[in-house]
Amino acid sequence: MIQGDGSSSVTSSSPFQFFPWFPPSSGLSPYSWLRELQSEERGLYLIHLLHACANHVASGSIENANIGLEHMSQLASPDGDSVQRIAAYFTEALADRLLKGWPGLHKALNSTKLCLVSEQILVQRLFFELCPFLKLTYVITNRAIVEAMEGEKMVHIIDLNAFEPAQWVNLLQLLNERPEGPPHLRITGIHQQKEVLDQMAIRLTEESEKLNIPFQFTPVVSKLENLDPESLRVKSGEALAVVSVLKLHALLACDNDMFNMKSPSAASFQGSKPTKMNPNHRSLGDWLKKDKSHLYNPSPDSALSPLSLPPSPKMDKFLTAIRGLSPKLMVITEQESDHNGFTLMERVKEALNFYAALFDCLESTVSRTSVERQKVEKMLFGEEIKNIIACEGNDRKERHEKLEKWILRLELAGFGKLPLSFHAIFQANRILQSNGYDGYNVKEENGCVVICRKDRPLFSVSAWRFRRFD
């Protein structure tokens, strides 16, 4: 890296700067030595390497970052253990961020990449099938809708991320069991791909006809940030519910973000040595907890304070528009992590801890050779990681925030929190027990619900009502 005074900050490009405890006199090439590491050693080295490499990327030290990426590529693998797999996608994300410094090169390397609608639908449904999170979210959300719409004869649901019909098939079945009979149900589904909405309409119409429930599906082909509230066409006499599953955070993106592209000075590994591994701690999440000095520090902007909320004109405008529709209920599901930090290093730390838990979820239940698992990790988790790490400004859509920030945002926008019922939590936990999902639990937090893996909150569900200003 060339500093402002014209001098170079790189004194040596030796790979041993990343492994000062490695004896150069051993006669082994560094890469053969790396490949011979035991699983525990390899995992901890990868975590240290990732942290050091991210620091070099953040500080603009291209040569050192390149050396780190070269080492990480020797150890990481998309079909290895959970540490190797997640490291592979962080390696790709950091490399992609560096390549963005050469727009022509980056565009050329990505110009032929295709993302088929059918693949997007497939990977989202695979996540639904392989992990319990969306199943639990749908149960909790539908229970809140049934309770809020008790006695209503006309119910209108606006689905801000309409991609999975299973949720609304379940709701149709629940509404059919009402003592007073089912209401007339209208669902407005919003998605940028017409094909997704067409499939939703066919599946839900079939189910409503089988149950003999009056039903109408209204498709709205649009990105959420471009949505025209007039296209929602809420009618007089309808009881309105708005549902967002893992979508609302995209509105936090802002065209004129002023980002500091540099983090604090890059950490030096000279003279440092990784802590000894406890062989009983096998999961990546446990390893990160053990290595607290490097990667398990919470982002400093996670404190609950009005000053901690980055300005978001798109979000403010959207919530104002939704509030203007006077919804009887709004239910929001979001990732329970803070990936909207100001600096790259904040986001790397938060993302590594959050996605470590998701990779561990799949490691505990799905074979490493599973094609379905690899698709979810690459096309869903990997793409989200890349967006969090490699993108800035309006391109960075994956701006996940924690529950306390969503509570503050919604309250400032004029919504009142609606506590989720004990019955919803009980039903969700019963699903975990009956399907053998060990290591997961659903618990109440401040009137909302958090879905946890090994007591680590990963997703939150909160319910809101329209509140009039005095």
Side-chain angles (χ1 to χ4, degrees):
M1 174 183 173
I2 304 300
Q3 295 179 335
D5 59 1
S7 63
S8 172
S9 65
V10 178
T11 59
S12 171
S13 60
S14 168
F16 298 111
Q17 65 182 302
F18 287 95
F19 297 102
W21 55 88
F22 172 66
S25 62
S26 66
L28 291 174
S29 74
Y31 297 141
S32 64
W33 174 70
L34 291 176
R35 288 190 289 267
E36 291 173 4
L37 291 174
Q38 297 297 314
S39 176
E40 291 83 0
E41 294 174 322
R42 180 182 62 224
L44 196 54
Y45 288 162
L46 267 172
I47 295 169
H48 277 256
L49 270 174
L50 198 157
H51 181 261
C53 185
N55 263 314
H56 288 310
V57 172
S59 64
S61 181
I62 307 299
E63 188 171 349
N64 283 332
N66 180 63
I67 295 169
L69 291 172
E70 189 174 4
H71 282 352
M72 287 171 64
S73 297
Q74 293 294 322
L75 293 173
S77 171
D79 56 3
D81 61 32
S82 58
V83 189
Q84 290 177 295
R85 295 166 96 104
I86 194 172
Y89 294 109
F90 271 85
T91 301
E92 183 178 359
L94 290 170
D96 193 70
R97 185 179 177 93
L98 286 178
L99 279 175
K100 286 179 182 290
W102 291 271
L105 180 61
H106 184 269
K107 186 175 182 179
L109 289 174
N110 290 276
S111 61
T112 59
K113 290 186 178 179
L114 299 176
C115 188
L116 301 177
V117 175
S118 57
E119 290 182 343
Q120 292 178 334
I121 298 172
L122 173 63
V123 74
Q124 289 168 334
R125 288 180 179 165
L126 286 174
F127 179 57
F128 171 78
E129 294 169 3
L130 296 180
C131 298
F133 304 111
L134 291 181
K135 296 182 182 73
L136 301 175
T137 290
Y138 295 161
V139 166
I140 295 166
T141 300
N142 286 350
R143 176 50 52 185
I145 293 173
V146 169
E147 292 173 359
M149 300 302 174
E150 184 176 353
E152 296 288 352
K153 296 182 178 179
M154 298 180 64
V155 175
H156 183 186
I157 296 172
I158 297 174
D159 184 352
L160 300 181
N161 189 20
F163 71 90
E164 176 53 64
Q167 175 174 14
W168 307 126
V169 168
N170 174 254
L171 180 66
L172 284 165
Q173 294 167 351
L174 290 175
L175 293 175
N176 193 51
E177 298 171 358
R178 293 201 318 180
E180 67 270 35
H184 182 286
L185 178 64
R186 183 158 74 101
I187 295 179
T188 296
I190 300 164
H191 199 278
Q192 65 189 76
Q193 299 290 349
K194 182 177 182 297
E195 179 183 344
V196 175
L197 297 174
D198 289 344
Q199 292 185 17
M200 286 274 287
I202 292 171
R203 178 68 184 91
L204 297 181
T205 300
E206 288 176 350
E207 186 67 21
S208 64
E209 290 175 351
K210 184 172 70 175
L211 298 173
N212 197 28
I213 294 177
F215 175 75
Q216 178 185 354
F217 184 83
T218 304
V220 176
V221 181
S222 173
K223 291 183 178 180
L224 190 59
E225 56 264 37
N226 299 329
L227 180 66
D228 179 6
E230 294 295 325
S231 66
L232 302 176
R233 298 177 183 176
V234 178
K235 301 175 182 177
S236 177
E238 291 181 329
L240 178 64
V242 179
V243 175
S244 174
V245 177
L246 308 181
K247 191 64 176 180
L248 204 56
H249 61 261
L251 293 177
L252 294 172
C254 187
D255 290 310
N256 59 350
D257 280 340
M258 299 297 292
F259 286 100
N260 178 7
M261 298 296 289
K262 297 191 179 214
S263 70
S265 59
S268 171
F269 276 7
Q270 298 300 326
S272 66
K273 202 168 185 176
T275 53
K276 273 285 184 182
M277 269 293 302
N278 181 340
N280 294 324
H281 291 268
R282 305 292 294 183
S283 74
L284 177 53
D286 291 334
W287 291 9
L288 294 176
K289 289 179 183 178
K290 199 147 186 73
D291 195 24
K292 292 180 181 178
S293 63
H294 287 283
L295 288 172
Y296 207 66
N297 299 318
S299 179
D301 69 348
S302 62
L304 181 56
S305 164
L307 297 178
S308 72
L309 289 179
S312 179
K314 289 181 182 178
M315 179 67 73
D316 296 342
K317 182 179 179 180
F318 182 81
L319 292 179
T320 297
I322 293 298
R323 185 179 176 276
L325 300 175
S326 303
K328 191 170 186 179
L329 175 71
M330 180 161 67
V331 187
I332 298 172
T333 299
E334 281 292 335
Q335 290 87 342
E336 183 60 6
S337 193
D338 197 342
H339 298 145
N340 199 22
F342 184 73
T343 69
L344 173 64
M345 290 309 299
E346 287 176 338
R347 302 201 301 270
V348 167
K349 293 174 184 178
E350 284 284 334
L352 184 56
N353 282 283
F354 178 78
Y355 287 98
L358 292 182
F359 275 77
D360 280 340
C361 289
L362 293 177
E363 177 77 2
S364 65
T365 57
V366 187
S367 166
R368 291 181 184 177
T369 60
S370 166
V371 175
E372 291 78 12
R373 172 182 173 178
Q374 291 174 348
K375 285 182 179 292
V376 170
E377 290 175 339
K378 178 176 177 58
M379 298 170 61
L380 185 60
F381 300 163
E383 288 302 309
E384 289 180 359
I385 290 169
K386 186 185 293 184
N387 189 264
I388 292 166
I389 302 303
C391 297
E392 296 292 355
N394 200 46
D395 291 335
R396 181 156 58 85
K397 305 296 185 182
E398 303 300 336
R399 295 171 174 263
H400 312 142
E401 291 189 336
K402 291 189 175 181
L403 178 60
E404 63 261 22
K405 285 190 176 181
W406 285 111
I407 291 175
L408 184 56
R409 285 189 185 280
L410 271 293
E411 288 179 343
L412 289 174
F415 291 88
K417 192 164 53 177
L418 192 63
L420 291 162
S421 69
F422 169 80
H423 187 47
I425 299 174
F426 174 79
Q427 278 191 319
N429 277 313
R430 190 170 65 178
I431 286 177
L432 290 176
Q433 295 171 3
S434 61
N435 289 277
Y437 287 115
D438 296 329
Y440 298 87
N441 65 84
V442 178
K443 58 185 180 181
E444 185 272 342
E445 183 175 301
N446 199 12
C448 306
V449 168
V450 289
I451 304 171
C452 307
R453 167 72 176 172
K454 294 183 177 179
D455 293 324
R456 176 183 174 82
L458 292 176
F459 296 89
S460 67
V461 186
S462 58
W464 301 86
R465 58 178 175 78
F466 165 73
R467 188 181 68 198
R468 295 184 182 278
F469 289 126
D470 294 332

